């Protein structure tokens, strides 16, 4: 009989279960990873609620994980059993228009682990060898579970291109907003202003290096910024919430000639009001950022390995796999934790 394992699987929109299923076997060019830690992310809640197309049900969730190679299939050199690893979740065809232009996120066949095919909210996961990064000794498996979200944030920062001396506003002190604070500081921002209504998250934003903390429910953002930037507005605004009012605020408060990063995932069909005249007359640059892949992964690994980024400020709750379903459901209402990591048995 095959060995069994626990896995958090979505059976239908709203129907998330902790199942017992057989441990998968690695095929040609694949390795089996024994998961160590797996992060829970807002995207998991979107998938679980059915807001995100999940075509292959039942689907094992989990796209932020670290682990150890437990077995290798054929043709997986130089990977070896016992290697500590993380896995770029973005698997693409490598042959289409987008793949050949280094934009595999837009590949029509792209499949993300934990989104389109079995991910790492399970004791084991099978992954393609080409997506695996072996960790340096200085990076723990605990911290390595943060590589995926950090790679995404790095991609966002690449897209918006913070310059030395920029004044940066980050809207939202959630798990991704907090990551952007540290990266903006590393990237040379002169001032990082964070707008966040929750007091405990504002405190974490301070711990991540934010220079000015604004409670937008107390002082309207525009008013606060007028004072902080001599009525000019920030050079860069990073929207890291995904709500329509905050997106509208981002465009409204950025300075003339400024740049807005659309980082927060808004509901797929939501629309916002945007005056083309503002884009035109303010010469705005609005850029999107969807996910991190390619070199953002080794760069995230290096930042963590060199101690330039401290995920433990953001990862404020570590729970067992048995509580993963509850932790995902809790994302909707419970704002007392920022980021949950699931520790595998
Ligand atoms: Zn995520
Ligand atoms: Zn492709």
């Amino acid at each position: 009989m095959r060995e069994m394992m626990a896995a958090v699987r979505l059976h239908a929109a709203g129907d998330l279960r902790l199942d017992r299923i057989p441990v998968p076997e690695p095929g040609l060019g694949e390795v089996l990873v024994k998961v160590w830690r797996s992060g829970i992310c807002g995207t998991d809640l979107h998938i679980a609620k059915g807001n995100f197309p999940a075509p292959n049900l039942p689907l094992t969730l989990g796209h932020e994980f670290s682990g150890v190679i437990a077995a290798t299939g054929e043709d997986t050199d130089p990977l070896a059993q016992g290697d500590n690893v993380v896995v770029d979740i973005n698997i693409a065809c490598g042959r289409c228009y987008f793949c050949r232009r280094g934009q595999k996120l837009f590949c029509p066949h792209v499949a993300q682990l934990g989104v389109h095919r079995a991910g790492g909210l399970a004791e084991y996961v099978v992954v393609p060898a080409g997506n695996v990064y072996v960790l340096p000794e200085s990076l723990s498996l605990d911290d390595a579970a943060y590589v995926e979200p950090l790679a995404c944030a790095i991609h966002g920062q690449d897209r918006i291109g913070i310059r030395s001396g920029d004044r940066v506003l980050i809207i939202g002190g959630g798990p991704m907003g907090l990551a952007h604070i540290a990266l903006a500081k590393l990237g040379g921002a002169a001032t990082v202003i964070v707008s966040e209504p929750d007091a405990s998250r504002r405190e974490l934003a301070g711990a991540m290096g934010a220079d000015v903390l604004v409670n937008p429910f107390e002082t309207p953002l525009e008013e606060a910024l007028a004072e902080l930037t001599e009525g000019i507005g920030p050079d860069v605004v990073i929207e890291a919430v995904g709500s329509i009012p905050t997106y509208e605020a981002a465009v409204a408060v950025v300075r003339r000639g400024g740049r807005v990063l659309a980082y927060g995932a808004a509901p797929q069909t939501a629309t916002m009001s945007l005056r083309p005249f503002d884009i035109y007359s303010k010469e705005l640059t609005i850029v999107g950022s969807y996910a991190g892949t390619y070199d953002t992964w080794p760069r995230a690994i290096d930042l963590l390995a060199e101690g330039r980024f401290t995920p433990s400020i953001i990862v404020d709750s570590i729970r067992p796999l048995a509580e993963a379903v509850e932790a995902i459901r809790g994302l909707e209402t419970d704002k007392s934790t920022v980021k949950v990591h699931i520790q595998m048995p």
Side-chain angles (χ1 to χ4, degrees):
M1 232 187 71
R2 285 178 63 190
E3 208 188 325
M4 302 294 278
M5 68 170 189
V8 175
R9 298 202 304 170
L10 183 72
H11 288 258
D15 183 4
L16 196 59
R17 303 179 207 167
L18 186 63
D19 289 335
R20 284 203 74 77
I21 56 171
V23 173
E25 279 169 25
L28 177 69
E30 293 178 331
V31 300
L32 177 70
V33 174
K34 183 171 177 22
V35 180
W36 172 254
R37 264 201 193 181
S38 199
I40 287 177
C41 155
T43 305
D44 294 318
L45 180 65
H46 289 307
I47 298 168
K49 285 169 68 181
N51 297 343
F52 225 85
N56 303 313
L57 298 176
L59 170 75
T60 302
L61 300 188
H63 58 274
E64 310 176 355
F65 58 91
S66 61
V68 181
I69 295 182
T72 53
E74 270 175 70
D75 194 18
T76 56
D77 281 353
L79 300 175
Q81 205 179 334
D83 283 347
N84 286 357
V85 297
V86 291
V87 186
D88 181 344
I89 61 164
N90 302 286
I91 300 159
C93 79
R95 297 183 294 275
C96 74
Y97 180 96
F98 292 106
C99 283
R100 289 186 193 279
R101 282 159 179 78
Q103 296 180 308
K104 72 170 166 182
L105 293 176
F106 311 133
C107 172
H109 310 289
V110 75
Q112 295 174 308
L113 297 169
V115 180
H116 307 102
R117 55 179 268 181
L121 259 176
E123 291 175 74
Y124 293 88
V125 57
V126 160
V127 302
N131 287 57
V132 172
Y133 289 94
V134 177
L135 302 177
E137 258 172 40
S138 55
L139 179 53
S140 71
L141 283 170
D142 288 355
D143 284 352
Y146 195 73
V147 168
E148 194 275 343
L150 186 56
C152 289
I154 289 172
H155 179 65
Q157 299 260 330
D158 285 353
R159 294 274 297 146
I160 200 68
I162 288 171
R163 296 172 306 172
S164 299
D166 271 349
R167 294 193 282 204
V168 178
L169 167 70
I170 296 168
I171 302 182
M176 296 319 301
L178 292 171
H180 277 296
I181 296 168
L183 292 177
K185 296 291 279 193
L186 285 170
T191 314
V192 174
I193 305 161
V194 175
S195 171
E196 166 59 50
D198 183 85
S200 60
R201 291 187 172 202
R202 278 202 306 279
E203 203 172 302
L204 291 178
M208 290 305 285
D211 301 292
V212 187
L213 305 167
V214 176
N215 177 354
F217 292 176
E218 225 163 57
T219 316
L221 191 53
E222 240 160 309
E223 216 174 276
L225 289 169
E227 198 167 305
L228 292 166
T229 64
E230 309 90 41
I232 291 168
D235 303 296
V236 171
V237 178
I238 297 175
E239 202 289 346
V241 177
S243 81
I244 298 309
T246 44
Y247 263 105
E248 288 175 343
V251 176
V253 301
V254 73
R255 76 161 168 86
R256 300 189 74 182
R259 289 114 65 208
V260 174
L261 179 67
Y263 192 87
Q268 221 176 352
T269 52
T271 56
M272 66 185 276
S273 68
L274 179 62
R275 285 188 298 268
F277 184 83
D278 288 344
I279 305 175
Y280 154 80
S281 65
K282 286 174 81 173
E283 292 205 346
L284 296 185
T285 303
I286 301 174
V287 300
S289 175
Y290 172 57
T293 185
Y294 300 118
D295 70 329
T296 58
W297 279 72
R299 288 159 63 205
I301 290 169
D302 285 351
L303 271 183
L304 291 168
E306 297 299 328
R308 304 279 281 162
F309 189 102
T310 315
S312 57
I313 298 173
I314 299 171
V315 180
D316 56 352
S317 169
I318 295 153
R319 300 170 68 173
L321 183 56
E323 294 175 14
V325 171
E326 187 193 323
I328 292 171
R329 292 204 185 109
L331 289 176
E332 192 144 35
T333 47
D334 181 13
K335 297 286 171 209
S336 64
T337 55
V338 175
K339 187 149 196 83
V340 178
H341 269 189
I342 298 298
Q343 180 69 54
M344 294 302 157

